[in-house]
Amino acid sequence: MAYTLVKFNRTRFFLTRFLLSAALLFVILQTSFYVSETSNFEERRASILAALERAETIIQSELSAFATDLHILSHDDRLLDFALGNEDMYQPTLRGFMSFTEHKSSIAQLRIISGEGKEIIRVNRENGLAHEVPQEKLQKKSGRYYFTEALKLKTGQIYFSPIDLNVENGQIETPWRPVLRLATPLRADGNGKRSVLIMNINAERLLNNVIHTQAATASPIQLANRDGYWLLGAPEPELWGFMFGRETRLGTENPLLWSWITQHGDGEFDQDGVHYVFRTILRGSFAPSLTEHIAPSSGNIALVAFSELPSPTIAGSWNVASALLTAVLMAALAVICFGWARAAEARHLAMQGEEAAQAEMIRRERLASLGSLVAGIAHELNTPIGSAVLVGSTLSSRFQEFLEMIKSGKILRSDLEVFERDLGSGMTILLRNLERAADLIGHFKQMAMDQTSERRRKFELSDCVQDVLASISPQIRGKKIVIVRKIDPGLTLVSFPGALAQVLINLITNAQMHAFGDDQSGQITITGKAVGSDEIELVVADNGHGIPEDLRQQVFERFFTTKLASGGNGLGLSIVRNIVESVLGGTVSASNAQGGGATLTIRFPRVSPNGATDYAQEKVDAQPQQAA
């Protein structure tokens, strides 16, 4: 058989195969890098949103507690008699102030200012201890804004000042001490003059709640007041500009972002490749039980918390690791294509020359086998190579080993097969992680919708519990606590999923904090079932330490905690009882299991009662007024 052979160009063969394969590989790499960048962006974004939401909840709870404390103090008969001029009540009032300040770590100062603007009693908290300020050191405060604003209110109303830096004797105190003041006018004396009861709150802890509740992220949160002046998160020369007469505020530095924030309150904004996530804290009512006592000017304490992170871009998806991975895979591809070209050339030359037929036949068979192997590897590696880039961060050590084998020239076929299997398993792992990330985003979205809407809706109990567990999974990751869900199927409710989710989060958090010691393993079981045709029973049980019998009746009381030194504030179970009774229309109880551990049982109707619906509707109807 005669053959008409053309001249074989090995370089052209190599370049055509390599460039086509390299282009396909580059597309796969770029796509995977961008998907990874987008996934990382969404995780960080969700972390910031969750942190801002948690910070707002904590701050609102604390301010509600402060307002309640001030309201209680303002109705003390001894204090009122002293404010009206009865000097015999000075010592009883002082003792009450000292006791109250010592038990409330956030209170920096308690005082009464007479109608003429002169302090008549004052207790300061310094180094954790309360002490009386001598009469000769009491100051004139008639010109301070919080005093004049409080006198404008009706007796019993509570004024909240903006957060600023403490001023003593006309000078800003150093080091800076952020302060929030609550003031309420007392009843008038015979001359019609009213004294003012003022509580100074150490706002540093309050502000840091915005930072400390943030999940791990490389995007720190910044905090500004309602006028856009930075309080936290900016360089020191830009902080507290309004206290020093400096126009260092967000509206000046980034007017477009500030305009968007002031128009929308909460949301997100993209500008010049930067994605901003922001939330306005304390815009509306935060003490429902004291609504009639909160002054309309309470909106002046509103805070704007925001964070920024780079928007995902194709260029931004490249870094040192991705560039190194690309270089390694391109080098491997070049070796494969070069071997492919050599095999093709060998087959071409084998058909020429009959003089060394036997030797050429052996060589051709060997090269044909090599060519078949290379072709098979090239075909099979189209998928593994694409998968490998998706798990590049976890296989960096394997790539380094592979590179060293290429450089040494001692690469074996078994090495390639092991490398191929590793890439295949990596694809499975990352796909599972991407699906989980998408699932988490869906859960956060649903949780956010439920937490920002107080309207009653129809939902499945199992879906609500699953949303909660997904949203708190970053908090329990790395701990030795297992959460088991046992929810009967088909439990359809017409209620408030946001309120129910908050109850579950508080109960799970309470179990984590109190049931188990440091690094102790344990299990939290969530059980849901129908009780009759109209009620649901939801039980959160743990196998931890249990509740001491002498404390079991107190666990739902406000400010009762056994973890005060560890950051407990005694509000978790109190909030649970309030939500269960006033919103869900149910009951909550605590007991100890026979085998050990605590059990908290909630019973509530499938369809929320009218009282709870009216409560939600009042909040919805009040929103436009609050926003105004």
Side-chain angles (χ1 to χ4, degrees):
M1 180 179 293
Y3 294 92
T4 303
L5 300 177
V6 298
K7 184 178 181 181
F8 183 83
N9 190 321
R10 187 172 65 182
T11 302
R12 183 172 62 186
F13 184 94
F14 166 77
L15 289 177
T16 54
R17 271 65 176 178
F18 175 74
L19 291 177
L20 288 174
S21 301
L24 178 60
L25 175 61
F26 184 82
V27 170
I28 296 173
L29 286 169
Q30 179 60 81
T31 301
S32 63
F33 291 156
Y34 184 73
V35 168
S36 178
E37 177 78 4
T38 303
S39 175
N40 181 56
F41 169 83
E42 290 296 339
E43 288 181 2
R44 293 169 62 189
R45 171 180 165 275
S47 172
I48 293 171
L49 286 170
L52 296 182
E53 185 173 345
R54 290 194 300 272
E56 180 174 31
T57 299
I58 293 174
I59 291 176
Q60 287 185 345
S61 297
E62 292 197 10
L63 287 188
S64 177
F66 295 147
T68 301
D69 292 340
L70 187 69
H71 181 69
I72 293 172
L73 275 177
S74 67
H75 287 75
D76 187 282
D77 291 336
R78 297 169 300 176
L79 180 150
L80 293 173
D81 286 348
F82 171 69
L84 292 174
N86 186 350
E87 293 295 332
D88 292 338
M89 291 295 103
Y90 178 82
Q91 286 300 326
T93 302
L94 176 63
R95 287 194 297 270
F97 274 21
M98 294 284 287
S99 176
F100 205 85
T101 304
E102 287 177 352
H103 286 84
K104 303 288 184 178
S105 61
S106 294
I107 296 179
Q109 190 179 100
L110 270 177
R111 53 186 163 160
I112 298 176
I113 300 179
S114 69
E116 291 79 16
K118 173 69 175 178
E119 293 177 335
I120 60 175
I121 185 171
R122 174 174 166 183
V123 171
N124 285 353
R125 183 185 186 89
E126 294 181 1
N127 300 322
L129 299 176
H131 67 87
E132 174 191 8
V133 176
Q135 291 291 321
E136 62 271 14
K137 292 188 178 182
L138 296 179
Q139 303 176 31
K140 185 84 170 177
K141 296 293 185 178
S142 58
R144 296 295 284 154
Y145 68 91
Y146 50 83
F147 173 72
T148 57
E149 289 294 328
L151 286 179
K152 297 177 183 179
L153 304 179
K154 297 177 182 179
T155 301
Q157 283 191 308
I158 299 174
Y159 168 75
F160 285 80
S161 77
I163 297 176
D164 59 17
L165 298 178
N166 193 48
V167 175
E168 292 291 345
N169 298 311
Q171 298 293 323
I172 296 175
E173 186 178 5
T174 55
W176 295 343
R177 187 151 60 113
V179 176
L180 167 68
R181 301 171 185 85
L182 281 69
T184 182
L186 305 175
R187 63 173 176 244
D189 59 17
N191 297 321
K193 292 187 177 181
R194 297 186 297 171
S195 301
V196 177
L197 172 62
I198 299 177
M199 178 189 292
N200 283 20
I201 304 300
N202 182 357
E204 184 173 7
R205 174 187 170 189
L206 198 66
L207 297 180
N208 284 338
N209 275 328
V210 178
I211 307 301
H212 294 158
T213 57
Q214 184 180 5
T217 176
S219 304
I221 291 178
Q222 302 180 51
L223 194 67
N225 64 13
R226 65 171 186 166
D227 296 319
Y229 289 99
W230 273 285
L231 308 184
L232 284 176
E236 185 172 307
E238 298 183 6
L239 297 176
W240 306 100
F242 64 95
M243 296 294 298
F244 302 97
R246 299 192 297 255
E247 280 298 307
T248 52
R249 54 178 173 171
L250 187 57
T252 303
E253 300 293 331
N254 194 334
L256 191 59
L257 172 62
W258 182 246
S259 174
W260 189 267
I261 291 175
T262 54
Q263 290 178 28
H264 297 83
D266 301 335
E268 303 177 43
F269 180 67
D270 286 290
Q271 181 185 20
D272 299 331
V274 178
H275 186 81
Y276 296 92
V277 181
F278 58 90
R279 189 181 189 94
T280 302
I281 299 176
L282 305 174
R283 286 182 299 168
S285 174
F286 45 82
S289 62
L290 295 173
T291 300
E292 63 185 54
H293 298 285
I294 302 299
S297 60
S298 62
N300 62 13
I301 64 173
L303 302 173
V304 176
F306 65 97
S307 186
E308 60 184 64
L309 59 161
S311 298
T313 61
I314 292 178
S317 63
W318 287 87
N319 52 38
V320 175
S322 59
L324 179 61
L325 172 62
T326 302
V328 170
L329 293 178
M330 288 296 182
L333 183 62
V335 171
I336 293 172
C337 289
F338 183 75
W340 189 4
R342 289 192 60 184
E345 182 182 37
R347 288 195 301 270
H348 183 86
L349 294 175
M351 289 181 281
Q352 298 177 345
E354 297 180 353
E355 295 182 352
Q358 188 64 36
E360 189 65 15
M361 178 63 68
I362 296 174
R363 180 172 179 269
R364 183 170 59 187
E365 289 295 327
R366 177 172 55 83
L367 290 179
S369 176
L370 177 60
S372 177
L373 173 63
V374 170
I377 292 174
H379 176 74
E380 291 297 325
L381 282 184
N382 282 331
T383 298
I385 287 175
S387 303
V389 300
L390 300 178
V391 289
S393 59
T394 59
L395 296 177
S396 59
S397 60
R398 288 287 291 111
F399 289 136
Q400 186 62 40
E401 295 174 5
F402 187 67
L403 182 61
E404 292 299 326
M405 287 189 289
I406 292 176
K407 290 180 179 180
S408 65
K410 297 180 180 180
I411 186 169
L412 302 175
R413 175 174 179 174
S414 59
D415 296 326
L416 290 175
E417 292 174 347
V418 171
F419 185 61
E420 180 181 356
R421 286 196 301 271
D422 289 345
L423 291 180
S425 63
M427 168 66 85
T428 302
I429 294 171
L430 190 52
L431 283 178
R432 185 166 61 249
N433 288 333
L434 290 175
E435 291 170 358
R436 180 174 178 273
D439 188 49
L440 281 174
I441 292 170
H443 287 306
F444 277 128
K445 179 180 178 182
Q446 184 61 58
M447 286 284 291
M449 291 173 61
D450 286 335
Q451 290 293 334
T452 56
S453 172
E454 293 295 339
R455 288 191 178 273
R456 188 172 62 169
R457 72 174 178 86
K458 185 176 182 180
F459 64 96
E460 295 291 326
L461 178 60
S462 59
D463 293 340
C464 180
V465 174
Q466 179 61 28
D467 287 341
V468 169
L469 296 183
S471 69
I472 66 172
S473 60
Q475 301 177 22
I476 63 175
R477 187 176 296 122
K479 298 184 178 180
K480 300 178 181 179
I481 298 173
V482 177
I483 298 181
V484 178
R485 180 168 57 107
K486 298 179 180 180
I487 308 298
D488 289 349
L491 297 182
T492 303
L493 311 180
V494 180
S495 189
F496 299 90
L500 182 57
Q502 184 178 354
V503 166
L504 279 173
I505 290 172
N506 283 16
L507 291 179
I508 295 171
T509 302
N510 186 76
Q512 287 181 257
M513 178 178 291
H514 297 279
F516 310 106
D518 295 339
D519 296 326
Q520 180 182 351
S521 61
Q523 177 175 301
I524 299 173
T525 304
I526 303 173
T527 306
K529 64 180 180 180
V531 180
S533 59
D534 300 326
E535 270 196 321
I536 296 294
E537 182 179 85
L538 191 60
V539 178
V540 178
D542 62 68
N543 60 351
H545 304 311
I547 306 172
E549 284 300 322
D550 58 332
L551 302 179
R552 192 158 56 87
Q553 299 303 321
Q554 305 177 55
V555 294
F556 293 106
E557 294 180 6
R558 184 181 291 272
F559 304 120
F560 175 79
T561 179
T562 60
K563 294 286 187 177
L564 186 61
S566 304
N569 56 21
L571 293 174
L573 293 184
S574 174
I575 292 173
V576 167
R577 183 175 65 179
N578 183 57
I579 293 175
V580 170
E581 294 178 355
S582 64
V583 180
L584 301 180
T587 59
V588 58
S589 61
S591 61
N592 285 319
Q594 188 172 1
T599 300
L600 287 101
T601 304
I602 304 168
R603 282 198 175 189
F604 57 96
R606 283 177 179 262
V607 178
S608 65
N610 291 332
T613 305
D614 294 341
Y615 167 83
Q617 190 60 46
E618 287 173 5
K619 294 185 70 175
V620 173
D621 294 340
Q623 286 177 1
Q625 300 173 9
Q626 294 166 359

